[in-house]
């Protein structure tokens, strides 16, 4: 069921219950009123007739004649007057006695002074009437036809107006719900046309105040993020293709030129060296991409263990120096490690080693001589690793870009690389709930500070 229908039914339902309650209250209060008024009217008639007989000394025969000749005597009050010893003094209806008075009833009237009751469809009252130091018991009964007709009328009016009102309320509810949900329908229409090819489209943010506007604003913010991520992915893919194409094209051209004619051994050797170097670039690139893919995994899919940072650093240093025997990397403990926990974090040792190797390699490759150092320190609940070099440094305008995938500094032509290293390192550090910051002065060196919360 749509929200619009739900709202309409809910609205109509609530109003229907209220209307019904309202109608019942009106009906029953009218019904009570009718009953009370009719008892009063019966009482008045009884007293008037008693006065006519006892005070005005009107002949009973005259009263009976009036009663008999009235247009519809069945609905007229039939009055009977007794003395307290159940002797009938007067009776309107000589032929049909509507109220069958009994000795017991007379006694009850004397005891209670007034009783009210129904005799079949008729309402009746019995009263004790005091006149000239004597007590009389009068009963008066009739059928309140006009009262019941009014009650019936009211019932029909209420039932008909209830159903008419429900139909009107349902229609009004439907219109209001549609109107209230119109912005949602508009939003759906707008969202419907947004696809991967037109992620630049945005939905209208309405008045900027209500919940729908809030939803539209949130949705637009999500679109911004998606668009950025899509653009980044596109750029990433185009960068990868570029990085792959460059060594492959170079290798292809070199090999084609080599096989064009007979060459000297020296020439072949050089060509093979160039091909090996291009292939190594490709291997490095594919390894970096693989590591990047691993670092992009869901956090829960990567295994984390308690790991000593100094051990990972030593491991990384060994691997870097194995690949580049000319690099010099020193690891310095700035404080004595009093507790293993100060230097341990929950980590994936492999990914952490990749990150440390990148920072060490960068430190050496952008320095002359190719030297770098890593200083380990801790304070409070943090462990700090400072990767330092005295190399060429990074200019201020480049510093904000170096963590972008495939970004390479202006000096990239001089040094081998593919621009993935730092973006990968940042991802890995963040995956370990750490922080990475850089400070650098062109010409005098660079420091990358990596900060982890220790165990
Ligand atoms: P790559 O090293 O393959 O070029 P990175 O992502 O590791 O890619 O680094 C991106 C850029 O940041 C480098 O091209 C370089 O300009 C700059 N950079 C990184 N580390 C250093 C450093 N220690 N000294 C100077 N520049 C650096």
């Amino acid at each position: 069921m749509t929200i619009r229908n739900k709202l309409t039914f809910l609205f109509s339902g609530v109003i229907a219950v209220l209307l019904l309650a309202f109608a019942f209250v009106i009906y029953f209060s009218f019904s009570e009123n009718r009953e009370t008024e009719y008892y009063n009217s019966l009482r008045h008639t009884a007293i008037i007739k008693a006065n006519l007989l006892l005070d005005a000394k009107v002949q009973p025969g005259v009263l009976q004649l009036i009663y008999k000749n009235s247009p519809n005597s069945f609905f007229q009050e039939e009055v009977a007057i007794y003395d307290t010893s159940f002797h009938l003094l007067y009776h309107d209806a000589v032929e049909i006695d509507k109220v069958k008075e009994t000795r017991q009833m007379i006694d009850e009237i004397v005891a209670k002074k007034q009783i009210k009751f129904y005799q079949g469809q008729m309402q009746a009252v019995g009263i004790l009437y005091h006149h000239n130091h004597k007590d009389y018991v009068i009963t008066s009964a009739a059928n309140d036809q006009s009262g019941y007709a009014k009650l019936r009328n009211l019932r029909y009016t209420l039932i008909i107006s209830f159903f008419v009102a429900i139909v009107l309320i349902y229609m009004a509810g439907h219109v209001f719900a549609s109107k209230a949900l119109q912005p949602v329908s508009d939003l759906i229409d707008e969202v419907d046309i947004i696809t991967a090819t037109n992620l630049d489209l945005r939905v209208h943010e309405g008045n900027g105040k209500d919940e729908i506007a809030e939803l539209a604003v949130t949705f637009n913010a999500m679109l911004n993020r998606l668009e950025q991520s899509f653009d980044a992915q596109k750029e990433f893919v185009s960068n990868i293709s570029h990085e792959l194409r460059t060594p492959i094209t170079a290798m292809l051209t070199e090999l084609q030129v080599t096989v064009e004619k007979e060459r000297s051994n020296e020439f072949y050797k050089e060509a093979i060296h160039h091909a090996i170097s291009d292939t190594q670039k490709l291997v490095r690139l594919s390894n970096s991409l693989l590591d990047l893919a691993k670092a992009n995994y869901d956090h829960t899919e990567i295994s984390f263990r308690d790991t000593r940072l100094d051990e990972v650093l030593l491991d990384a240093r060994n691997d870097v120096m194995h690949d580049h025997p000319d690099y010099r990397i020193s690891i310095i403990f700035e404080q004595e490690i009093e507790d293993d926990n100060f230097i341990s974090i929950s980590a994936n040792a492999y990914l952490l080693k990749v990150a440390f190797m990148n920072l060490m390699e960068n430190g050496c490759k952008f320095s002359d001589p190719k030297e770098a150092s890593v200083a380990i320190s801790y304070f409070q609940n943090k462990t700090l690793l400072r990767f330092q070099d005295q190399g060429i440094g990074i200019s201020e305008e480049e510093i904000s870009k170096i963590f972008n995938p495939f970004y390479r500094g202006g000096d990239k032509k001089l040094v081998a690389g593919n621009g993935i290293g730092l973006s990968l390192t940042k991802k890995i550090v963040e995956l370990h709930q750490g922080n990475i910051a850089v400070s650098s002065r062109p010409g005098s060196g660079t420091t990358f500070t990596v900060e982890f919360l220790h165990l």
Side-chain angles (χ1 to χ4, degrees):
M1 196 193 274
T2 60
I3 293 184
R4 187 177 53 192
N5 285 346
K6 257 191 223 164
L7 277 179
T8 311
F9 281 127
L10 203 74
F11 175 66
S12 313
V14 170
I15 302 281
V17 171
L18 283 177
L19 272 184
L20 217 57
F22 200 60
F24 272 112
V25 170
I26 290 178
Y27 183 78
F28 284 110
S29 109
F30 187 89
S31 165
E32 289 261 297
N33 239 5
R34 183 211 61 76
E35 190 180 55
T36 317
E37 297 229 315
Y38 203 62
Y39 277 132
N40 285 344
S41 130
L42 287 174
R43 203 169 169 277
H44 285 145
T45 313
I47 291 170
I48 287 168
K49 283 202 178 165
N51 282 342
L52 284 174
L53 275 170
L54 303 172
D55 255 358
K57 307 283 185 221
V58 174
Q59 286 300 307
V62 176
L63 284 181
Q64 280 163 344
L65 207 65
I66 294 171
Y67 176 78
K68 203 172 163 191
N69 291 323
S70 60
N72 195 346
S73 60
F74 183 72
F75 300 114
Q76 209 191 349
E77 294 85 351
E78 180 216 74
V79 174
I81 304 175
Y82 291 83
D83 66 10
T84 47
S85 321
F86 195 34
H87 293 124
L88 180 66
L89 303 177
Y90 169 78
H91 204 295
D92 266 339
V94 188
E95 289 131 28
I96 333 148
D97 187 12
K98 292 179 200 163
V99 181
K100 308 279 178 265
E101 290 87 355
T102 56
R103 171 93 232 183
Q104 200 187 349
M105 185 191 288
I106 299 298
D107 290 346
E108 192 185 345
I109 295 169
V110 171
K112 293 185 178 166
K113 295 202 167 54
Q114 175 168 302
I115 61 168
K116 296 171 178 174
F117 59 97
Y118 275 84
Q119 181 96 42
Q121 282 194 325
M122 279 189 312
Q123 258 176 270
V125 289
I127 53 172
L128 184 68
Y129 184 65
H130 191 74
H131 186 266
N132 272 349
H133 313 295
K134 273 183 84 180
D135 282 335
Y136 299 91
V137 173
I138 314 171
T139 62
S140 172
N143 188 333
D144 183 12
Q145 199 198 26
S146 115
Y148 279 119
K150 280 184 200 155
L151 200 61
R152 235 185 347 265
N153 237 345
L154 178 70
R155 192 164 57 229
Y156 292 144
T157 312
L158 286 175
I159 291 174
I160 291 168
S161 12
F162 173 75
F163 284 110
V164 171
I166 285 300
V167 172
L168 290 178
I169 286 162
Y170 179 82
M171 287 184 337
H174 201 267
V175 171
F176 284 134
S178 304
K179 228 176 150 53
L181 293 173
Q182 191 55 44
V184 179
S185 307
D186 293 346
L187 197 64
I188 291 170
D189 291 342
E190 287 182 66
V191 171
D192 225 22
I193 52 173
I194 299 177
T195 62
T197 51
N198 54 11
L199 267 183
D200 56 315
L201 289 184
R202 295 290 177 269
V203 297
H204 285 113
E205 295 184 353
N207 59 9
K209 289 177 202 151
D210 59 22
E211 289 83 349
I212 306 286
E214 216 173 297
L215 178 69
V217 170
T218 314
F219 189 78
N220 280 343
M222 185 195 75
L223 280 178
N224 284 342
R225 290 196 298 273
L226 273 183
E227 194 186 9
Q228 273 168 19
S229 148
F230 255 67
D231 287 348
Q233 300 258 357
K234 271 195 241 161
E235 200 187 312
F236 190 73
V237 171
S238 89
N239 280 332
I240 288 180
S241 355
H242 178 74
E243 288 297 320
L244 285 173
R245 212 175 40 217
T246 314
I248 290 174
T249 318
M251 198 158 50
L252 192 68
T253 318
E254 175 117 36
L255 293 175
Q256 277 169 342
V257 169
T258 312
V259 293
E260 258 172 17
K261 53 183 182 187
E262 199 64 30
R263 307 279 184 187
S264 67
N265 267 358
E266 282 307 303
F267 196 95
Y268 285 129
K269 260 192 194 163
E270 202 175 328
I272 291 171
H273 273 306
H274 285 158
I276 290 175
S277 150
D278 285 335
T279 317
Q280 276 172 339
K281 267 188 203 161
L282 286 174
V283 170
R284 269 202 302 274
L285 178 66
S286 63
N287 284 344
S288 302
L289 287 174
L290 259 178
D291 291 337
L292 194 62
K294 278 187 200 146
N296 273 328
Y297 281 165
D298 184 355
H299 190 266
T300 51
E301 285 185 42
I302 299 173
S303 63
F304 286 83
R305 284 206 188 86
D306 291 356
T307 310
R308 278 187 67 120
L309 289 169
D310 53 342
E311 284 175 5
V312 182
L313 279 171
L314 281 171
D315 218 6
R317 173 177 175 261
N318 287 347
D319 283 10
V320 172
M321 290 182 51
H322 177 266
D323 293 345
H324 309 275
D326 53 328
Y327 287 4
R328 290 279 157 266
I329 302 163
S330 43
I331 296 177
I332 307 153
F333 289 85
E334 292 194 333
Q335 285 152 280
E336 210 169 297
I337 310 296
E338 291 161 17
D339 184 339
D340 277 358
N341 282 348
F342 294 168
I343 197 142
S344 301
I345 64 164
S346 165
N348 179 293
Y350 169 77
L351 287 176
L352 216 52
K353 188 171 87 173
V354 170
F356 294 167
M357 280 174 71
N358 275 326
L359 293 171
M360 288 172 179
E361 271 176 356
N362 278 352
C364 293
K365 79 181 179 189
F366 293 110
S367 312
D368 195 16
K370 307 210 166 307
E371 284 177 6
S373 67
V374 188
I376 308 172
S377 61
Y378 60 84
F379 76 101
Q380 288 168 356
N381 56 344
K382 285 180 183 161
T383 306
L384 295 183
L385 307 176
R386 288 204 310 281
F387 295 79
Q388 292 166 312
D389 64 71
Q390 264 98 51
I392 57 173
I394 311 168
S395 70
E396 209 163 310
E397 59 183 274
E398 279 186 339
I399 237 165
S400 58
K401 302 182 202 149
I402 56 170
F403 290 106
N404 294 346
F406 292 104
Y407 178 79
R408 303 208 63 211
D411 36 46
K412 65 181 175 184
K413 291 235 163 55
L414 307 171
V415 195
N418 51 35
I420 293 182
L422 280 185
S423 75
L424 175 61
T425 302
K426 188 168 170 25
K427 274 222 163 69
I428 294 174
V429 170
E430 283 169 357
L431 201 66
H432 289 82
Q433 325 294 334
N435 248 326
I436 181 164
V438 55
S439 69
S440 181
R441 245 196 302 140
S444 50
T446 306
T447 303
F448 284 92
T449 308
V450 181
E451 192 179 286
F452 293 113
L453 291 177
H454 55 62
L455 287 175

